[in-house]
Amino acid sequence: QVQLVESGGGLVQAGGSLRLSCAASGRTFSDAAMGWFRQAPGKERTFVATINWSGSNTDYTDSVKGRFTISRDNVKNTAYLQMNSLKPEDTAVYYCAARGGILGSQSSSVDRAYDYWGQGTQVTVSS
C-alpha cells in the first residue's frame, strides 16, 4: 500500500553535510505526517525529526537542533532531512516513516505513531 525509499546516506567527515531523501509511493503523500529516526550500532531506534502534513509544524531531538532541517515537497511526494555540521555521534542508520489513519496528519516524535517505514540508509561520520 505504501512504500518509502530512503537515499542520500554515505560517508562524510565531521563538519560536513548530507541531505537524505525519502520518496513515497502508493498513497496520497500530502495527507501524512513524516518522521526521521535513527539507530546507532548497539542502540535502540531514536527520534530525530518530524513534520506535519503541510510542513507548518516541525520538531527535533535536542542533539540535532540548529544543525538538521526536515522538509517536504508534497508535489514530489518526498521528505528530506538536511544534515549540517555532522558529528561522529550522528553515525547511524537513518529511517524515514509515515503516519497513517485518521490522525496521521499530525507530527509525532513517537515511533509507535508511524505506520510505514523505509529500509534505512547508512550515515557514517568520521573524525
Side-chain angles (χ1 to χ4, degrees):
Q1 183 179 349
V2 175
Q3 295 82 42
L4 303 174
V5 180
E6 300 102 328
S7 61
L11 301 173
V12 64
Q13 288 193 293
S17 298
L18 288 172
R19 189 175 79 157
L20 306 184
S21 298
C22 178
S25 63
R27 70 190 299 269
T28 303
F29 175 79
S30 60
D31 290 343
M34 301 292 294
W36 287 96
F37 295 78
R38 64 188 180 186
Q39 187 169 25
K43 303 293 185 180
E44 296 296 316
R45 185 171 61 197
T46 59
F47 167 73
V48 177
T50 186
I51 188 167
N52 75 334
W53 71 275
S54 68
S56 62
N57 292 331
T58 60
D59 194 23
Y60 303 88
T61 191
D62 285 346
S63 64
V64 309
K65 288 180 179 177
R67 300 189 297 119
F68 290 12
T69 303
I70 187 171
S71 62
R72 66 190 300 155
D73 186 332
N74 287 348
V75 175
K76 296 182 178 180
N77 286 353
T78 303
Y80 304 95
L81 186 68
Q82 178 67 47
M83 305 185 294
N84 298 328
S85 301
L86 282 162
K87 304 175 180 179
E89 51 262 45
D90 295 318
T91 295
V93 177
Y94 283 70
Y95 299 90
C96 68
R99 296 194 70 180
I102 297 173
L103 301 179
S105 63
Q106 299 180 358
S107 58
S108 177
S109 63
V110 179
D111 57 4
R112 298 183 302 275
Y114 294 86
D115 297 291
Y116 308 102
W117 293 83
Q119 84 288 348
T121 185
Q122 177 71 49
V123 172
T124 303
V125 184
S126 62
S127 301

